[in-house]
Amino acid sequence: MSVLPVDSLETPRFCGVPTFMRLPQATTLAGLDAAIIGLPSDSGAPFRTGARFAPNAVRAMSIMLRPINPYRNINVFEALACADAGDAAVVPGYEIESLERLELAVRAVVDAGVTPFGIGGDHSVTLAALRAVAARHGPLALIQFDSHSDTWDKYFAGKKYSAGTPFRRAVEEGIVDPAHSIQIGMRGSLFKADDVSQSIELGYEVVTTDEMFACGIPALAARIAARTAGRPAYLTFDLDFVDPAYAPAVQTPEAGGPSAREALDLLRRIEGVNLVGADVVELCPPYDQPAQITALLAATVMAELLALRAACKA
Amino acid sequence: MSVLPVDSLETPRFCGVPTFMRLPQATTLAGLDAAIIGLPSDSGAPFRTGARFAPNAVRAMSIMLRPINPYRNINVFEALACADAGDAAVVPGYEIESLERLELAVRAVVDAGVTPFGIGGDHSVTLAALRAVAARHGPLALIQFDSHSDTWDKYFAGKKYSAGTPFRRAVEEGIVDPAHSIQIGMRGSLFKADDVSQSIELGYEVVTTDEMFACGIPALAARIAARTAGRPAYLTFDLDFVDPAYAPAVQTPEAGGPSAREALDLLRRIEGVNLVGADVVELCPPYDQPAQITALLAATVMAELLALRAACKA
Amino acid sequence: MSVLPVDSLETPRFCGVPTFMRLPQATTLAGLDAAIIGLPSDSGAPFRTGARFAPNAVRAMSIMLRPINPYRNINVFEALACADAGDAAVVPGYEIESLERLELAVRAVVDAGVTPFGIGGDHSVTLAALRAVAARHGPLALIQFDSHSDTWDKYFAGKKYSAGTPFRRAVEEGIVDPAHSIQIGMRGSLFKADDVSQSIELGYEVVTTDEMFACGIPALAARIAARTAGRPAYLTFDLDFVDPAYAPAVQTPEAGGPSAREALDLLRRIEGVNLVGADVVELCPPYDQPAQITALLAATVMAELLALRAACKA
Amino acid sequence: MSVLPVDSLETPRFCGVPTFMRLPQATTLAGLDAAIIGLPSDSGAPFRTGARFAPNAVRAMSIMLRPINPYRNINVFEALACADAGDAAVVPGYEIESLERLELAVRAVVDAGVTPFGIGGDHSVTLAALRAVAARHGPLALIQFDSHSDTWDKYFAGKKYSAGTPFRRAVEEGIVDPAHSIQIGMRGSLFKADDVSQSIELGYEVVTTDEMFACGIPALAARIAARTAGRPAYLTFDLDFVDPAYAPAVQTPEAGGPSAREALDLLRRIEGVNLVGADVVELCPPYDQPAQITALLAATVMAELLALRAACKA
Amino acid sequence: MSVLPVDSLETPRFCGVPTFMRLPQATTLAGLDAAIIGLPSDSGAPFRTGARFAPNAVRAMSIMLRPINPYRNINVFEALACADAGDAAVVPGYEIESLERLELAVRAVVDAGVTPFGIGGDHSVTLAALRAVAARHGPLALIQFDSHSDTWDKYFAGKKYSAGTPFRRAVEEGIVDPAHSIQIGMRGSLFKADDVSQSIELGYEVVTTDEMFACGIPALAARIAARTAGRPAYLTFDLDFVDPAYAPAVQTPEAGGPSAREALDLLRRIEGVNLVGADVVELCPPYDQPAQITALLAATVMAELLALRAACKA
Amino acid sequence: MSVLPVDSLETPRFCGVPTFMRLPQATTLAGLDAAIIGLPSDSGAPFRTGARFAPNAVRAMSIMLRPINPYRNINVFEALACADAGDAAVVPGYEIESLERLELAVRAVVDAGVTPFGIGGDHSVTLAALRAVAARHGPLALIQFDSHSDTWDKYFAGKKYSAGTPFRRAVEEGIVDPAHSIQIGMRGSLFKADDVSQSIELGYEVVTTDEMFACGIPALAARIAARTAGRPAYLTFDLDFVDPAYAPAVQTPEAGGPSAREALDLLRRIEGVNLVGADVVELCPPYDQPAQITALLAATVMAELLALRAACKA
């Protein structure tokens, strides 16, 4: 099974239906190490919507990326047999049913022994992915980059499932082990005085944006590795982690975040994590015109996560 | 209770929080003839989403409109005590619960003896409004402007409620009387060979875009009045009725429709209809930048519907 | 003095600082028949603003136009010695002083025996131009294409000068002869019951958009020529005359107007008018992105007005 | 070989990598009747560029279309075995080499006995396609919808190949038979007095936009059929044929064209043409944001061309 | 009087006409501590215009903010009785009259003992606000964040009042005490060699962007407090203080500024200032599409200023 | 010959056809020290295209800049006689011929003893400029700011000339002396393992983005001066050097770069370089709407390069 991307020095990037980084579309999962899978649900979005279009928007910009990661000195696609597995089908306007379908789709990947790399979607899609991955690997160490903790109990009309609640649900369901998990990047105004403390009470380690800069990026990378050591880890990257200047097209932008360079630097310094799944979420393409820099950043983050997985395997 | 809009010759239109046509915000429904009410749900949207932002987008452009309608020679707000009643609360990502909340909000207006003029939202919001209005007035004559009939039985995962199904549901629920109802503007490619015939089988009169032009606008206006005669009527205007050039920011644009002038001409010629409710739906503001001509058209259509109501009352 | 535009078959249109239709920039007015002059004031704008950027926006799109007008079968720039005279300087935020500066700039053109073709600017710039042109030619026959009559007496805070009042002021100042003048295209909602009748009372002939279609375009062209016969004529084209689909980027769009083709057809059929000045106004470039079709239409209208002038001279 | 599109009532349209109308991607050409093929070259573009992104932009909007064409009462994909054959590779910045590669790609389709439906690309790509199709079918009857005749002899620096010259080259190369060919839609200003006459001298029948309306759409459809009778026909649709309001995102917009409804009506009325190839060209996606109505129109036109082919086969 | 915002965990943020942070609209000023007031004038804008739309643009994005400020550990709206007082009326195109009306509107707030928080508008609106606030509190300590000093003597045509002159006028009028005032953020090219020195000659302390980074943010916060000690202070935040990447939609962007995080960090560290008025100015909404990150930053800055006021009161 | 720009305190910046920084248009090169020249070719662009519109886009934003550079304490236009020399003509779609025309145009400037400051254009235009400048000054010291090294041997179809190859060609042609040249800013994923080493093998000093931050900006500025000492230097600034947040509208954006402030700081600290030519390239205006911050940054960088030249002369 050929799993090398199209050569962009031979065929211009704009030629052909775009898959993630011009990888082959998966016709089978057999023999793959990793699969890109779109999770195009935005039924959990409390404010801006349109993340259903994110997987294809990320694909469209990912064609600019090249296979070699110089930060880890690795050709990702030689180290890792990868393909683009297409998208999960969802049921727009039906959050519960969408989560079920998303879980089934990720489970098919995981059950084939393939590491899923999801493109969301609002942040509730991560709950579906965590369920699928934990079904195979047991309770997971969660590494969450996000400006919001998403650990509310309920949202509108007392609903338990939305983009604001997945990381409380995941603890309740026992699929995330908070004692080995860490949330990084919280900032901005809060609904209630206990917005951050509620995450801590759930057992998460919480690093606010201010604490991130006080700690320094190399030390924080080490802290992530230490926190998650000994556990299969799932990394979720909400694009609102960075400042809106770098990621304008997200569902709930929050002013005052780190730069793209700082975020990538942090990702590139993480080592020794046993990554069994990952996603990049909350891209909202209708707000990304015309230069689509948020989609490009999402694709770049995803490429770094693949490189992290490749480095761990190597 | 003062129900005259702010005078735009004195205070510039851009001053102040925008209500529909600068009307007062309703603090009570008592004494009103008509109320504008936002129905900001897009959980039923099968493709583009973001109609949740439509009510405020329409308000923002409606401030350009003036109170006198020269086509009916009437000062709408002298003839009709109007106010902006704000928005129904909805539950994003939960279509069924959203319909329930929308129905309750419209019912509060209707129960106060006030005619509701709704701003959607995806087209499923009309089902909620029809339920509320029919609860008071009985089975309604429906006048639907739309490029799609929206009479499918089911959508994704067999779901009965979405923007593609309200006008089958309404017949099944007995809140629309298809024998006095008419659908105008169908065009474009179809899912199945019976897409149009299914509407006819349900009892609707169907006028395609081609038939509309063959018939002529004055004759069609008369045909609408004749079809709905003797019944309380509900008029729903899906903005994809017109060509995407005039309404680019809709959920499911369909190339090849009438112009805004033709659509307005048709509305202005309708007479003798007993209008007990109306809405303008499917505006999708994220796709309306920067000139917002779809929102302006939506506001203009709404102003014509208010004028129709005012003329009927006079 | 060379007055032929750059040849776009030799040098690509995007090369070089853009002047109107790639004409030479005027270093002197001597020997010219006609001059393009920017009137970049938006101090009179009651709603959307930004028309100060219109002259250069029109120039940027005008480079797509070619010198031969096939409708009048004439090479405009062989018939007419033309140049781009740059822009009048204005005083942003000071309407009165801006009108004074605009008048001086147009007067310099007129005094040199050159016909001015102005690019506005909000519609109050036409008052300045009318003053300058009438100073040489006496009371003018006005041909106004517009969806609003702009004959209000006062605007905010009782101000006499704004985009809403120039054509009342012009009658009061005796620089327009309403008995030979015509306003075409009025439509939409009104502030007061006498919005249209006030124009008629001032002496203007008024043709609403509906009447325009009832009359037919060839007959209306003849009616314009008849109305203005025997008088030096000034033609002003407010881009909101056409539907917002064709001219989204105007200060005060009005839904339901004619198409660009209908507008151009009407202009192309006008004959026998003694054109001594003209302008195209109310383009609001910040709302014209990304395709800039309003600026292209403005440039095309201007080219037609030059051809009308050329045909009259021939 | 399954050649039915994905069912959009089951799987939301936004799920999955978008192919044209959600057709299968061709893994072989054997057994196909028709193939969609992207021709992503813009090296011939004299003004706006970016048409290299057109094939994927058209695909992205084509997912809104449905398989049944009610105007011809046909399920296109039951009548015609279709697939999406991906894109030709091109050499950006090298017009001659790009034409060679495009010709090879189309020739592969044609040689397999499959009718090519190309998505351009600037209009020079049609020359490459004509070469490939004529190699099999002999001199072709050309049906060209366009606001420009594109029959110049040379462009910048005396170059023979660009978007302004293909239909002179095609006559010179003997691959188009002008005596059976027709150009429709010419309008706007001209470079030289003989812009239109040069097409007539080459042997083309030319119908300007004005003549199109004078003739009437049904009569014009018949005239097209008559002109091309007895010849294998190639239809090329330059999106600047319609007014910029309907197709803002084209390389060289020309104000004052027909509406999308008029254009589609004309296409739908053409009968009895032996269509052996077709294309839709000059979409320039960077100028189509945010609502992408030009891409939607391009997809709709292509669907009509497939329906024309299907009807001819039936 | 209820002064708590709508609960965004119950009612989605997009529901209802947006006020600042979903606060109640003021029906009376009695009992309030602070009032948000729109100052929608752009008559003083020398380049880009459209700031008249800023107050409602800021309101529309402010609905994303939550009431608790974790940096000062305070629930702003429990500490401070706040409401949205709507907008001052202005006279577009008449700078002098607009300043008079703005002053009257702010004075009404101040005279009721309420602290005004203004949303501009071009920077000349600050002069009006300073006049109103100083009328009650005497000469003010000014804290100005800005990339330009705005201390020119005159602008076009010798005009004394525009966005380029307020902080010279304020010193001349004795309403600002420069000996207790500080300007922070100056950078970029200059009109004359004395652009910065003229501010220093007027008595202001001036901190350029380079000096700000040399000094460090904590030290600069202390310096601000020291400079303004003992005086009632007015803080004005021109959004061009930050880099255009973070605030693209300003009137006169200046490349090379601090990030949003650095700006917010500085604001959050200011302590012990007796804030009697504040504003955020120069947002130019037509340039903020589609993601509106400038408006979000403006709202976030305003929320920090409210928190500073609340902390001072506590 | 007057070479002072228009005074923006007298005439508003939006008045008049925009030249670079409102400089005079060159009617002769005699007596000039420096000339701005547009190099509007994008035939070498491998991905996004549209840089042909860059020179005028930069001019349009450059009017915001003022003549005095406070970082070098110099009035640039008093120190340096400058003018805007317009654009080179190019041959769109013909890379080789375009390079020839570009070289001729720059050579005309150089031959007149004037220092050329080019506005690209894709990065291949720099090869043309280097040829012209080296013809007079001999092998040049190259200072390249860029996220990509552009030292590939071939691109699509084995082509030697494109935006990916100029700095290999320049070494091969002997017009750049790599031993005195330096490339700064490389980052992101690579095509092949030797992407960076190939530059080093050619003889360039290479400083990646990470190394730039490790080195520190003052030290790096000194390193640039040391590397290029004793050689006439050419500085080329590819806008993708900075992060896409600061320069979204480039041909091939690369996430994770320095900020605009860091880039400008570096430029402002360079001293003692014998600058004989410079350019700013790869601006892609169709992706820069609506706020045009990339064009503003391009103009600001160019102004800094002029100041560097002026300082060297002084």
Side-chain angles (χ1 to χ4, degrees), chain C residues 13 47 50 52 59 74 93 130-131 146 151 159 182 185 192 195 233 251-252 274 281 302:
Chain C
R13 290 150 167 158
F47 187 60
R52 60 182 66 177
R59 287 183 180 106
I74 200 164
L130 288 169
R131 287 171 175 167
D146 202 335
T151 51
K159 292 297 177 189
I182 186 166
K192 299 194 181 163
D195 273 20
Q251 294 192 158
T252 46
N274 176 20
V281 299
M302 185 62 91

Side-chain angles (χ1 to χ4, degrees), chain C residues 34 41 76 79 91 102 141 152-153 161 223 237 259 271 274:
Chain C
S41 176
V76 174
V91 190
L102 292 164
W152 283 98
D153 184 31
Y161 299 95
R223 199 165 146 189
F237 192 98
S259 70
E271 288 185 358
N274 176 20

Side-chain angles (χ1 to χ4, degrees), chain B residues 12 14 16-17 25 40 56 87 90, chain E residues 12 14 16-17 25 40 56 87 90:
Chain B
F14 50 80
V17 175
Q25 292 190 47
N56 281 325
D87 292 349
V90 295
Chain E
F14 49 80
V17 175
Q25 292 189 49
N56 280 324
D87 292 349
V90 296

Side-chain angles (χ1 to χ4, degrees), chain A residues 12 14 16-17 25 40 56 87 90, chain D residues 12 14 16-17 25 40 56 87 90:
Chain A
F14 49 80
V17 174
Q25 292 190 47
N56 280 324
D87 293 348
V90 295
Chain D
F14 49 80
V17 175
Q25 292 189 48
N56 280 324
D87 293 349
V90 296

Side-chain angles (χ1 to χ4, degrees), chain E residues 81-224:
Chain E
C82 294
D84 187 325
D87 292 349
V90 296
V91 190
Y94 291 86
E95 171 72 353
I96 306 293
E97 292 85 342
S98 292
L99 293 180
E100 290 168 358
R101 286 198 173 191
L102 292 164
E103 182 182 349
L104 282 176
V106 179
R107 194 179 282 244
V109 172
V110 174
D111 287 351
V114 181
T115 308
F117 288 81
I119 310 174
D122 72 76
H123 220 155
S124 74
V125 305
T126 302
L127 181 62
L130 288 169
R131 287 170 175 169
V133 176
R136 184 181 181 98
H137 294 284
L140 300 163
L142 181 74
I143 307 168
Q144 179 188 353
F145 296 92
D146 203 336
S147 66
H148 314 100
S149 58
D150 295 349
T151 50
W152 283 97
D153 185 31
K154 301 171 187 172
Y155 230 106
F156 316 124
K159 292 297 177 187
K160 291 282 204 177
Y161 300 96
S162 89
T165 62
F167 304 114
R168 177 176 294 272
R169 290 294 95 74
V171 172
E172 292 171 352
E173 297 183 14
I175 55 182
V176 155
D177 176 358
H180 284 82
S181 296
I182 185 165
Q183 298 185 310
I184 302 154
M186 283 69 222
R187 68 176 178 274
S189 54
L190 306 178
F191 278 130
K192 299 192 181 165
D194 62 357
D195 274 19
V196 168
S197 58
Q198 71 186 359
S199 272
I200 294 167
E201 282 162 24
L202 282 168
Y204 286 104
E205 182 174 352
V206 178
V207 181
T208 67
T209 292
D210 279 0
E211 289 163 353
M212 171 181 158
F213 283 97
C215 172
I217 288 174
L220 182 53
R223 199 164 146 190
I224 292 168

Side-chain angles (χ1 to χ4, degrees), chain F residues 258-282:
Chain F
S259 70
R261 189 171 67 77
E262 291 158 342
L264 292 169
D265 191 25
L266 177 51
L267 291 177
R268 288 164 180 161
R269 288 177 187 274
I270 298 174
E271 288 185 358
V273 166
N274 177 19
L275 199 66
V276 295
D279 59 43
V280 179
V281 299
E282 302 250 330

